Amino acid sequence: MLPTFFIIYNPIYLHWITLALLPFLFTIYPIYKNFVVASKDEPVLILPELKTIRHLSFPMFITYFSFLVNNNADVFMLKIFDISTADVGIYKTVTNIALISATLLVAINTTVQPKITQLYYKHEMKELSRLVQRSSGLIFWLSLPIYILLFGLAKQIMQLYGSTFADGTIPLMILVVGQFFNTACGPVAQLLNATGHHKQFTYISIFGAFVNILLNVFLIKYYGVVGASVASTISMIVWNVVGVVYIYQKFGFIIAYLPFKNKLFGKQ
C-alpha cells in the first residue's frame, strides 16, 4: 500500500506549485530589487492614457484568445463528435509531447523580441532583417534534432505511456510536422507584435483559428484524432505562411528560414 501522501490529486497540486507558486517565490525579490527599489531614483514617468493602453492591449488579448482556441479547439471538438475519453486522453498527451519541440522556439523568440522593437524604432531595417533571419536559422538547426527524434521514435515515445498510447503515433508525427513548419517560419508573432503591427497579427491569428475549427468539423467526423491532428497542423502552417507573406510585403525580407532563399527571392 502506498503512503498516504500518494493521492490522485498530487499531479494537480504539483502543476499549480510549479506554474504559479515557485515562479512567484523566485521572482518577487529580483522584481523588488531591480524595479521597485531602482525606480525610486528614476524620474516619474507620465503614464499613458487608458485609451492608449486599451488600443494596444485589446488586439493582443484577441490574439491570445485565438491561440487559445487554436491549441484547444481540437480537444473540445473531439468530445463533441463523441470520440471516446480514452482517445481524447491519448490525443491530449500527444499535443503535450509535440509542444516540447517548440521549447527552443519560445525561448529564443522571447529573447530577440526586445531587440526587434529597438531596431525597428531606430529604423535600422537591414540589421532587423539580419537579426530575425539569423534567429530563424538558429532556431531551425537547434530544434531539428528534436523534430527528428520525435518523428522517428514517435511510436517508442508513445509506448512509454503504455501500450494503448501507441494509437497516438500517427497524430504525434503529424503534429511534429506542424511544429517544424512553425519553427521554420521564424518569429512571425514577435516581429509583428513588436513593430506595431499587432492588429494585423490579430487578424492572422483569428483566420488561423477559423481554419482550425472548420477543418476539425470536417476531419474529426471521419478520421477521429488523426483528423484533429491534421486540422491543427494545417491551421498552424496556414497562419505562419500568411504571416511570412505579410512580413515580406511589408518589410521586404523573408523571415522564414529557407536554405536557398537568396537565390529564390533575391539578395536580402
Side-chain angles (χ1 to χ4, degrees), residues 45-62 198-199:
L45 299 177
I46 300 176
L47 295 177
E49 296 181 359
L50 181 61
K51 182 180 179 180
T52 303
I53 297 175
R54 187 168 58 246
H55 176 76
L56 292 172
S57 62
F58 185 73
M60 293 187 180
F61 167 76
I62 299 300
H198 48 284
K199 284 187 177 181

Side-chain angles (χ1 to χ4, degrees), residues 71 92 94-104 106 150 172 179 236:
N71 294 333
K92 186 59 179 175
V94 166
T95 59
N96 290 337
I97 296 173
L99 286 174
I100 295 175
S101 58
T103 303
L104 287 173
V106 174
L150 291 177
L172 177 58
Q179 290 294 342
M236 183 176 293

Side-chain angles (χ1 to χ4, degrees), residues 59-162:
M60 293 187 180
F61 167 76
I62 299 300
T63 299
Y64 176 80
F65 181 77
S66 299
F67 275 105
L68 193 64
V69 171
N70 253 327
N71 294 333
N72 296 280
D74 43 8
V75 176
F76 285 105
M77 295 188 73
L78 283 170
K79 292 303 298 179
I80 292 176
F81 284 94
D82 293 326
I83 303 299
S84 68
T85 302
D87 286 341
V88 174
I90 292 173
Y91 182 76
K92 186 59 179 175
T93 303
V94 166
T95 59
N96 290 337
I97 296 173
L99 286 174
I100 295 175
S101 58
T103 303
L104 287 173
L105 174 68
V106 174
I108 296 178
N109 284 351
T110 303
T111 303
V112 302
Q113 185 167 357
K115 189 65 176 179
I116 291 174
T117 304
Q118 180 185 29
L119 293 174
Y120 177 75
Y121 287 102
K122 285 185 175 181
H123 305 289
E124 298 180 10
M125 301 307 295
K126 289 185 178 180
E127 185 64 22
L128 175 62
S129 171
R130 189 182 68 86
L131 172 67
V132 295
Q133 289 173 348
R134 289 192 174 184
S135 298
S136 300
L138 179 63
I139 296 169
F140 178 87
W141 287 111
L142 289 178
S143 302
L144 186 60
I146 301 176
Y147 292 125
I148 294 174
L149 180 67
L150 291 177
F151 189 89
L153 300 178
K155 183 175 182 179
Q156 290 79 359
I157 292 172
M158 292 307 302
Q159 286 179 334
L160 293 175
Y161 293 86

Side-chain angles (χ1 to χ4, degrees), residues 19 31 35 77 79 89 100 111 158 165 169 175 185 187-188 194 218 226 235 244-245 253-254 259:
L19 187 67
I31 290 175
F35 292 92
M77 295 188 73
K79 292 303 298 179
I100 295 175
T111 303
M158 292 307 302
F165 281 81
T169 300
L175 289 177
C185 286
V188 172
F218 287 101
V226 173
S235 66
V244 168
V245 172
F253 58 80
I254 298 294

Side-chain angles (χ1 to χ4, degrees), residues 158-227:
M158 292 307 302
Q159 286 179 334
L160 293 175
Y161 293 86
S163 58
T164 57
F165 281 81
D167 293 339
T169 300
I170 299 300
L172 177 58
M173 296 172 71
I174 295 172
L175 289 177
V176 167
V177 171
Q179 290 294 342
F180 174 80
F181 273 90
N182 186 32
T183 298
C185 286
V188 172
Q190 286 71 22
L191 177 63
L192 293 177
N193 283 329
T195 57
H197 296 82
H198 48 284
K199 284 187 177 181
Q200 289 79 1
F201 185 65
T202 297
Y203 301 143
I204 293 172
S205 62
I206 291 174
F207 177 67
F210 174 76
V211 171
N212 192 352
I213 294 173
L214 187 64
L215 289 175
N216 272 308
V217 169
F218 287 101
L219 295 177
I220 290 178
K221 182 178 180 180
Y222 299 103
Y223 303 105
V225 294
V226 173

